[in-house]
Amino acid sequence: TAVLVRMDENEFTGELPTEMGLLTACEEFRADENLLSGNIPTEVGLMASLVELRLDGNSKEDGPDGNNGNEFSGTLPTEIGQLGTMQYLYVNENSLNGPIPTELGLCTELIGLHLYVNEFDGEIPTELGALDKLAELYLDGNDLEGEMPAEVCTLAEENELTDLTADCDSGNEKVQCDCCTDCY
């Protein structure tokens, strides 16, 4: 059984197969910096041993046809909350939309949560305040609004959360945040 799947930094196209859920012993799955699209399969929630999931878009200049990298769309599957061992989730720089799943608050081993530059909307879930090991929470570049939950600010003040970003700059204040380390 594969413990590490690295198919990052290629120019793979198409969608992720639902069969990825069969990789129950996989600890690290990296498909970042490709040309993948479509929805993230709900079967990702079956990858019970996952520690790191990287499906982030791209930092490369341009791929074929001017594409800048992965372009996952749809909502972030709520089944991701079943990944109790996950420490790092990178889905930044895609076109994911809808609300941030409250089920992310069940991933209590999370250290890095990179959701920036997507199309997430609504309010930031208070359930993220349960992630007391979280060191990085990047939320900027989305359509989120409202106040940063007090539970998340407590993580920044009393726990490991040292990097917290949101769209809270005075010229673009969609999120009111007194505890953010960077506002955009």
Side-chain angles (χ1 to χ4, degrees), residues 75-78 80 89 91 96-105 113-116 118-128 131 137-140 142-145:
T75 59
L76 188 60
T78 58
I80 219 150
L89 175 61
V91 293
L96 296 170
N97 57 53
I100 295 172
T102 58
E103 289 82 358
L104 279 174
L113 180 55
H114 294 217
L115 303 177
Y116 64 94
N118 274 289
E119 298 169 14
F120 291 114
D121 59 27
E123 295 190 355
I124 298 161
T126 59
E127 288 83 356
L128 297 182
L131 305 175
L137 177 57
Y138 298 118
L139 300 171
D140 56 280
N142 285 289
D143 294 320
L144 299 167
E145 56 189 20

Side-chain angles (χ1 to χ4, degrees), residues 5-13 28-36 52 54-64 68-70 72:
V5 175
R6 277 198 76 166
M7 48 189 240
D8 54 313
E9 299 184 31
N10 289 287
E11 293 184 353
F12 293 129
T13 59
E28 183 178 345
F29 188 93
R30 292 192 60 172
D32 52 295
E33 299 190 23
N34 280 293
L35 303 174
L36 299 169
E52 182 172 349
R54 290 197 66 142
L55 301 176
D56 39 314
N58 196 329
S59 58
K60 292 186 271 189
E61 291 298 315
D62 280 323
N68 287 329
N70 289 339
F72 290 106

Side-chain angles (χ1 to χ4, degrees), residues 19-30:
E19 291 82 5
M20 71 185 287
L22 298 174
L23 300 171
T24 56
C26 183
E27 295 177 6
E28 183 178 345
F29 188 93
R30 292 192 60 172

